[in-house]
Amino acid sequence: MTSGQPGTGNARPTPTGAAAESPTTAAAGTPTQQNAMTKQVAAEGGTAVSASTAKGTGAAKDSDASKGTGAAKDSAAAKDSGTVDGAAKDSGTVDGAAKDSAAIKASKPAKDGEPAKGAKADGTDGKDKGDSEAKPVGPERWEAFASAPEPKPSIFNRVGRAVGRFLIHEWTLAALGALALAVLMTWPTLRYPRYTLPQDYWDPSLQAWQMAWSGHILLAEPARLWQSNTFFPELWSFAFSDTLLGYAPAGMLGSGPEDAVLRYNIMFVLAHALATLGAYALARQLGAGRIGAAVAGVSYTYAPWLLAQAGHLHVLSNGGIPLALAMLARGHGWSLRHGYRPERRHDGWVYAGWLVAAWQLSLGFGIGLPFAYFLAGAVLVTAVLFFARRLRTGQAVPFGRRLFAADVLGGVLFAGVGLLMAFPFFKVTELHPYAERTIADISLFSPPASGFVTAPGESRIWGGLHEGARAALPWHPEMTLLPGFVLYALAAGGLFFSVWRLRHRLLLLAGVLLTMAFAMGTRFFDGTFTYVPLFEHLPGWSGLRTPGRLMLWTTLLLGLLAAGAVTALTDRVRELTAQRIPSWPGPWLRMATLLPLLLVTVEGLNTTPHPVVPTQPAAMRSAEGPLLVLPSSQSLDQHVMLWSTSGFPDVVNGGSGFTPRQLDDVRRVSQSFPDQTSVDYLRTLGVRTVVLLRGQVAGTPWEINIDAPVESLGISRQEVGDDAVVYRL
């Protein structure tokens, strides 16, 4: 009995090898096997193919058992094929081994779903014709073992998955991390956000009024934007200092002094968060890793020298600078680590970059003007390099019309915003020539080289240790320019161990040294080769009185050098942990890469005070303008500006970067108020109300005159609460 053929009754040995698969052997198989094969073919509605043909007819070419069969006729067609296709490629029936078989007469495909005919077996299993007409259950018999089809997700599932992907995305986590860090690092700014202000309550009061005025007037009377309600009756008074105009949408929410203080504190925290996110995005776009980019973002935002600027929101609102640069670099497909990659160009990012740059410029020229000149210089250098390479190689670098159009339109938008913002400031200079800065003014605020290693008093780590060094500085609030000793160390390490190329490291170092020289103003060789040429020849540069604020660019470049070093460190740690077996030190090594970020963060801790804002006098809530509030001085008038956010009446008071001569005259003449001379003078200006604050008259001439009778002057006097006397002229 042949192995593998039980029950056949054929005792003749079956040849092995090729003959074992011959048509003769297949035809001599059991009827049960033939019937099963035929039933399967019929059930599938396909072509009946013998077992020998299915295994390959080429194997039976040299077999003695297959010489007289029809398989030899088709061996030429099937000799190179081991599949059914060779034997039955042009036939719906079996043309080869089954042609002369007594077991299978002529199988034909089923028509219209009917079972195949002529598939009756003549064996011993006793099956009748119904067995050959089996139901098409071939594909269905294995369905129980197949995996169930995945159900189509509902709209809620799809939305949930999309939200989940968004929440764990790198940029979502970066934004949330920057916001959480800003809340912690500026605490307790949001502890009592309606009643306290960071650093002091003078300049922050002015800037809180600026946001409130721009939001209010753009909703009420946009044409009057630059003619503010302060410094009455001066023209273009909103341009007497940086305006924070870009925060006008926030100024449209709420009204009154408390809402103005709340708005200021919220924007104060958000400015820190945006700066961190912007510097992180720039470092990532240039090729830094996540931890290296985080070091750049934190060091840029919380550098110790910026703690002295906590009362200057227009200085802290610098996040648009690195963010715009990151977007422009992304749109142009350029990074410091990978160079220019044309396939990554995207004009949408270019438009976004120019929009963010224009918004940054709208916050003020103190920070925005150097940024504008940097962008202009970057465009010029890029164009020169582009054409120089074309002349040298004879091939144009891929750029594209869409990208060119985006740069042109975006540049025009940026320049247009700059010109519209600059026009009122030029009008102020024309009306008040004495407001323009001189080299002598610049010298007063130019820091010495020792300022780069001196921290302000608000630094929790270095403030107390550097008290003596600060005492040696002429004006330490603008001359303590320490970016951080940890940042210095990381940047120095980045010169030798970094992911940036050597030439890029040298360029970053050159940028650091150059910006430091400019930040020294006239202290670096009298500014002859640095600050003075800019002061004399660049439009608008003469309005910048504090060269030390250029330290912002030094800090950004140091952060990029540090990011290169930290990224190289994290890459090396990743390689080491991947090679070690076992890798148990891996988690500890990865945690060690967070140490630079932790040190930079700790060095940015502050002790910034948060004084309570003076309460608005009840008289200011109902006083009709134009009005004058006495006493009047630079610092006290900034409170008056904040109080005037209740209805925005016209007020003579005002505080800014300079004092108009008319306001000087008002302060001088009103020293004797109330008397006939001062009353007549104020009436000439159009003043109708004078508010004299009792709490501020100690040690002033009004301490005696506040209760003097006024009937002979033709004016009225009214006590309003316990803190003010109101005179109506």
Side-chain angles (χ1 to χ4, degrees):
M1 183 175 297
T2 306
S3 175
Q5 300 285 342
T8 61
N10 187 359
R12 186 176 59 184
T14 302
T16 59
E21 298 178 3
S22 67
T24 304
T25 306
T30 64
T32 303
Q33 291 177 338
Q34 293 178 4
N35 188 34
M37 178 189 69
T38 307
K39 286 167 62 179
Q40 181 178 355
V41 173
E44 294 176 358
T47 304
V49 182
S50 67
S52 63
T53 306
K55 292 181 180 180
T57 59
K61 186 170 74 169
D62 299 328
S63 175
D64 294 335
S66 63
K67 287 183 179 179
T69 63
K73 296 180 181 181
D74 297 324
S75 61
K79 70 179 180 180
D80 294 331
S81 173
T83 63
V84 179
D85 296 338
K89 65 178 180 179
D90 295 323
S91 175
T93 62
V94 178
D95 294 331
K99 184 175 180 182
D100 297 328
S101 174
I104 302 177
K105 303 282 187 176
S107 285
K108 295 182 180 180
K111 296 181 180 180
D112 300 327
E114 294 295 331
K117 297 180 180 180
K120 181 179 179 181
D122 55 354
T124 60
D125 57 358
K127 304 284 184 181
D128 58 9
K129 183 178 180 181
D131 293 329
S132 65
E133 297 177 355
K135 295 181 180 180
V137 296
E140 297 177 358
R141 66 176 59 172
W142 306 108
E143 287 183 357
F145 301 94
S147 59
E150 185 177 353
K152 184 178 180 181
S154 65
I155 185 172
F156 299 103
N157 290 336
R158 294 197 298 270
V159 171
R161 292 176 183 177
V163 172
R165 288 193 298 269
F166 173 77
L167 291 178
I168 64 174
H169 196 276
E170 176 188 354
W171 294 109
T172 303
L173 297 177
L176 294 176
L179 182 58
L181 185 64
V183 173
L184 293 175
M185 295 293 285
T186 60
W187 191 261
T189 298
L190 296 183
R191 186 176 183 180
Y192 304 108
R194 287 180 174 272
Y195 309 106
T196 63
L197 286 170
Q199 189 78 346
D200 56 55
Y201 43 57
W202 294 300
D203 283 353
S205 294
L206 162 65
Q207 292 159 353
W209 166 82
Q210 288 173 331
M211 284 188 283
W213 168 256
S214 60
H216 159 76
I217 202 62
L218 288 178
L219 289 176
E221 193 178 353
R224 197 191 157 193
L225 171 64
W226 298 101
Q227 319 300 331
S228 76
N229 70 310
T230 60
F231 293 99
F232 178 85
E234 296 285 356
L235 301 176
W236 307 100
S237 55
F238 194 47
F240 284 1
S241 59
D242 276 339
T243 62
L244 295 175
L245 185 59
Y247 289 151
M252 298 177 182
L253 305 175
S255 62
E258 288 188 1
D259 287 345
V261 172
L262 172 64
R263 183 187 306 115
Y264 179 92
N265 284 320
I266 292 175
M267 299 312 298
F268 179 81
V269 174
L270 291 180
H272 284 80
L274 181 61
T276 304
L277 182 63
Y280 176 89
L282 178 60
R284 286 289 282 153
Q285 173 59 33
L286 295 182
R290 291 182 177 88
I291 299 178
V295 169
V298 173
S299 63
Y300 176 75
T301 308
Y302 303 104
W305 75 273
L306 282 169
L307 298 178
Q309 304 292 331
H312 301 143
L313 185 58
H314 61 289
V315 177
L316 300 176
S317 299
N318 52 55
I321 294 176
L323 183 61
L325 294 177
M327 289 179 170
L328 290 173
R330 172 67 179 86
H332 289 86
W334 184 83
S335 74
L336 198 63
R337 191 174 184 180
H338 306 290
Y340 179 55
R341 293 179 286 182
E343 69 277 4
R344 292 178 174 264
R345 291 170 297 169
H346 197 292
D347 58 313
W349 284 110
V350 176
Y351 284 115
W354 284 112
L355 283 173
V356 172
W359 173 79
Q360 176 66 55
L361 189 63
S362 71
L363 293 175
F365 285 113
I367 297 299
L369 189 64
F371 177 48
Y373 281 117
F374 174 82
L375 283 180
V379 170
L380 180 62
V381 170
T382 302
V384 170
L385 293 177
F386 180 86
F387 288 108
R389 180 173 178 178
R390 183 172 184 177
L391 292 175
R392 186 177 68 255
T393 63
Q395 296 180 351
V397 178
F399 196 79
R401 295 181 179 179
R402 294 180 59 179
L403 204 61
F404 180 76
D407 280 323
V408 171
L409 294 177
V412 169
L413 170 67
F414 179 79
V417 170
L419 291 175
L420 289 176
M421 290 284 298
F423 179 77
F425 289 91
F426 284 122
K427 293 295 294 184
V428 169
T429 304
E430 179 183 336
L431 295 173
H432 308 277
Y434 51 88
E436 199 167 2
R437 313 294 181 189
T438 64
I439 290 294
D441 297 328
I442 304 301
S443 299
L444 292 176
F445 295 97
S446 296
S450 61
F452 297 122
V453 292
T454 306
E458 292 82 359
S459 173
R460 184 176 294 274
I461 304 299
W462 307 115
L465 297 174
H466 292 184
E467 185 176 357
R470 285 194 303 274
L473 298 174
W475 181 246
H476 67 82
E478 296 289 351
M479 295 182 181
T480 49
L481 302 179
L482 175 67
F485 290 113
V486 175
L487 184 59
Y488 276 144
L490 292 174
L495 294 175
F496 305 97
F497 179 69
S498 177
V499 295
W500 312 134
R501 293 181 177 89
L502 178 60
R503 66 175 182 272
H504 294 152
R505 288 178 250 167
L506 295 178
L507 286 174
L508 289 173
L509 176 61
V512 168
L513 298 177
L514 185 63
T515 52
M516 280 185 167
F518 279 105
M520 292 178 67
T522 59
R523 292 294 186 105
F524 185 80
F525 295 102
D526 296 329
T528 305
F529 307 104
T530 55
Y531 203 88
V532 172
L534 301 181
F535 183 88
E536 293 178 346
H537 301 292
L538 288 186
W541 201 274
S542 58
L544 307 180
R545 66 172 180 171
T546 50
R549 293 176 183 175
L550 292 175
M551 192 65 186
L552 189 71
W553 293 90
T554 307
T555 308
L556 181 60
L557 295 174
L558 287 171
L560 294 178
L561 274 173
V566 175
T567 301
L569 174 64
T570 55
D571 290 349
R572 183 57 179 159
V573 167
R574 190 178 298 111
E575 294 173 1
L576 290 175
T577 54
Q579 294 171 1
R580 288 189 62 88
I581 299 176
S583 60
W584 65 266
W588 297 103
L589 290 175
R590 292 191 183 97
M591 288 182 63
T593 60
L594 296 175
L595 184 59
L597 177 60
L598 177 62
L599 293 176
V600 168
T601 304
V602 169
E603 199 170 16
L605 295 176
N606 68 84
T607 58
T608 302
H610 289 74
V612 177
V613 181
T615 305
Q616 180 191 33
M620 289 290 298
R621 300 171 192 164
S622 57
E624 297 181 358
L627 62 90
L628 169 67
V629 179
L630 296 174
S632 174
S633 65
Q634 171 74 12
S635 57
L636 292 176
D637 282 3
Q638 291 173 334
H639 300 326
V640 175
M641 299 172 80
L642 177 62
W643 296 335
S644 73
T645 55
S646 292
F648 293 96
D650 289 333
V651 295
V652 178
N653 306 73
S656 70
F658 79 100
T659 302
R661 288 177 178 172
Q662 182 172 272
L663 182 55
D664 272 336
D665 293 340
V666 170
R667 290 171 178 170
R668 177 177 50 81
V669 173
S670 61
Q671 290 287 323
S672 58
F673 183 88
D675 66 346
Q676 195 63 53
T677 302
S678 60
V679 169
D680 291 343
Y681 178 75
L682 293 177
R683 283 174 173 169
T684 302
L685 292 180
V687 176
R688 294 294 175 261
T689 306
V690 176
V691 177
L692 186 57
L693 303 177
R694 284 188 176 274
Q696 302 293 335
V697 299
T700 68
W702 299 288
E703 188 174 9
I704 300 174
N705 298 337
I706 192 171
D707 294 318
V710 296
E711 290 78 7
S712 61
L713 301 176
I715 62 176
S716 63
R717 178 182 178 278
Q718 179 185 4
E719 296 277 351
V720 179
D722 297 330
D723 54 359
V725 178
V726 177
Y727 301 88
R728 291 181 174 84
L729 310 186

